[in-house]
Amino acid sequence: MSDRDSACWRSSEKGQEGPRRQEKDGPQGLHQAGASGGEGGGDTEMTQQETAPGPALSKKVKPPKECFLIQPKETNEDATKTRKRKKKKITDILAKSEPKPGTPEDLQKLMKDYYSSSRSVIELEELTLPDSCFLKANDLTHSLSSYLKEVCPKWVKLRKSHSEKKSVLMLIICGSAIRAVELIRSMTAFKGDSKVMKLFAKHIKVQEQVKLLEKRVVHLGVGTPGRIKELIKQGGLHLNPLKFLIFDWNWRDQKLRRMMDIPEIRKEVFELLEMGVLSLCKTESLKLGLF
């Protein structure tokens, strides 16, 4: 080996020892070498900062995201299913339906529905009234006077022959006292000289009405089923001379309810019918009309 080759080999060997010693001594040895080396040490330190691998940069840990369970939006169909089903009011039903005139079949059906839970099949059949006991129903074109003139053409003759007290020839049944007053005003053309009496509870006591019926002859009575029923119970009103019983059937109040759509009134009407009205209808001495 020539002198030139041996020199190269030594320099390369020294170069390999430098990093080994640097690894053994660690950063402290490098710092001491830099401090003793003066300006050369500065270069060494710079070289160390450039070449020595720094600590691995830690990855930024993202905070855990909060999870929220998003509930699906409630559709109209779901809301309809979960919402409590409300009973349909009679007002809603009647508002969507066209007004139809009442018929005798309507009364018969209401009677069967009302008594179906408490009567046997045979008893229900006995409640069925013959068609002959019904007057012609109002077709919604008549006023009260014109309707009564049509169904009672011999009214003048009947009222002249009537002289029995505690009775009337015709009863008109409606749902309220206010409606009774309206009906009395609207029948002026029909009643003529007939004596008319208000048979409702508002501002009039039962005993006062009983005394009036005892004192004078009355041809027409207009009132509510509850008060008429009470007068019959107390003996102030007899039904035998009664010839016509007219229901204010088709009239509707502010809530579009007819008289028989109101449960309380419907109950009183059927109780009144059982107090002798049905038996008079079957003998055909009494006629029923639906105005």
Side-chain angles (χ1 to χ4, degrees), residues 256-269:
L256 301 178
R257 298 175 302 179
R258 296 167 298 184
M259 178 182 71
M260 298 299 281
D261 292 327
I262 302 171
E264 296 82 5
I265 296 176
R266 184 169 62 243
K267 179 183 177 183
E268 289 178 342
V269 166

Side-chain angles (χ1 to χ4, degrees), residues 12 67 110 127 146 187 196 200 207 220 235 241 282:
S12 63
C67 296
L110 282 177
L127 290 173
S146 65
M187 61 191 295
V196 182
F200 48 77
Q207 294 304 322
L220 274 163
K282 288 180 180 180

Side-chain angles (χ1 to χ4, degrees), residues 13-282:
E13 189 176 9
K14 286 180 181 179
Q16 291 176 358
E17 289 179 357
R20 292 175 186 170
R21 186 180 299 168
Q22 195 173 9
E23 289 175 5
K24 289 180 181 180
D25 294 340
Q28 188 176 1
L30 289 172
H31 179 69
Q32 290 175 355
S36 60
E39 295 177 358
D43 295 338
T44 308
E45 187 175 356
M46 287 179 66
T47 306
Q48 185 266 341
Q49 288 177 355
E50 292 175 1
T51 57
L57 294 174
S58 61
K59 293 182 180 180
K60 289 183 179 180
V61 180
K62 294 182 180 180
K65 292 183 179 180
E66 294 183 4
C67 296
F68 297 96
L69 293 175
I70 301 174
Q71 296 182 353
K73 290 184 179 180
E74 190 176 19
T75 60
N76 292 333
E77 293 180 1
D78 296 335
T80 306
K81 290 178 182 177
T82 55
R83 195 184 297 125
K84 288 183 179 179
R85 291 183 178 178
K86 293 183 179 180
K87 251 187 175 181
K88 285 187 177 181
K89 294 182 179 179
I90 189 68
T91 306
D92 300 330
I93 297 170
L94 293 174
K96 295 178 181 178
S97 62
E98 294 182 2
K100 294 181 180 179
T103 61
E105 290 76 17
D106 295 335
L107 177 59
Q108 300 272 34
K109 185 178 183 303
L110 282 177
M111 288 176 62
K112 285 184 178 179
D113 292 343
Y114 180 79
Y115 292 111
S116 59
S117 59
S118 59
R119 303 287 177 95
S120 64
V121 178
I122 298 173
E123 288 173 330
L124 289 174
E125 288 178 358
E126 291 177 354
L127 290 173
T128 304
L129 297 172
D131 294 338
S132 58
C133 78
F134 285 98
L135 297 167
K136 182 180 178 182
N138 180 21
D139 58 359
L140 303 182
T141 62
H142 286 283
S143 65
L144 181 58
S145 287
S146 65
Y147 174 72
L148 294 177
K149 283 180 179 180
E150 183 176 349
V151 297
C152 311
K154 298 180 181 180
W155 173 251
V156 177
K157 185 179 179 180
L158 279 172
R159 71 172 177 79
K160 284 182 179 180
S161 61
H162 177 65
S163 60
E164 191 173 343
K165 295 178 182 179
K166 290 187 177 183
S167 65
V168 294
L169 286 174
M170 179 183 290
L171 270 177
I172 300 175
I173 299 176
C174 57
S176 67
I178 296 174
R179 179 59 180 165
V181 174
E182 290 176 357
L183 289 172
I184 293 171
R185 289 173 182 169
S186 65
M187 61 191 295
T188 305
F190 170 77
K191 69 180 181 179
D193 296 331
S194 303
K195 301 297 181 183
V196 182
M197 187 170 176
K198 300 172 183 176
L199 302 178
F200 48 77
K202 194 171 184 179
H203 308 308
I204 306 173
K205 294 180 179 179
V206 181
Q207 294 304 322
E208 292 177 5
Q209 291 171 336
V210 170
K211 288 178 181 179
L212 288 172
L213 288 166
E214 287 176 350
K215 286 180 181 180
R216 62 185 184 184
V217 175
V218 179
H219 304 103
L220 274 163
V222 184
T224 55
R227 176 49 61 92
I228 294 170
K229 189 177 65 172
E230 189 62 29
L231 287 168
I232 295 170
K233 279 183 180 179
Q234 295 195 17
L237 182 64
H238 299 159
L239 292 178
N240 287 333
L242 187 64
K243 300 299 179 185
F244 301 98
L245 181 63
I246 310 296
F247 292 104
D248 185 29
W249 190 276
N250 297 304
W251 182 80
R252 299 176 189 270
D253 61 10
Q254 292 180 348
K255 296 181 179 179
L256 301 178
R257 298 175 302 179
R258 296 167 298 184
M259 178 182 71
M260 298 299 281
D261 292 327
I262 302 171
E264 296 82 5
I265 296 176
R266 184 169 62 243
K267 179 183 177 183
E268 289 178 342
V269 166
F270 290 133
E271 288 176 353
L272 174 60
L273 293 179
E274 286 187 287
M275 297 176 75
V277 174
L278 293 176
S279 59
L280 289 172
C281 289
K282 288 180 180 180

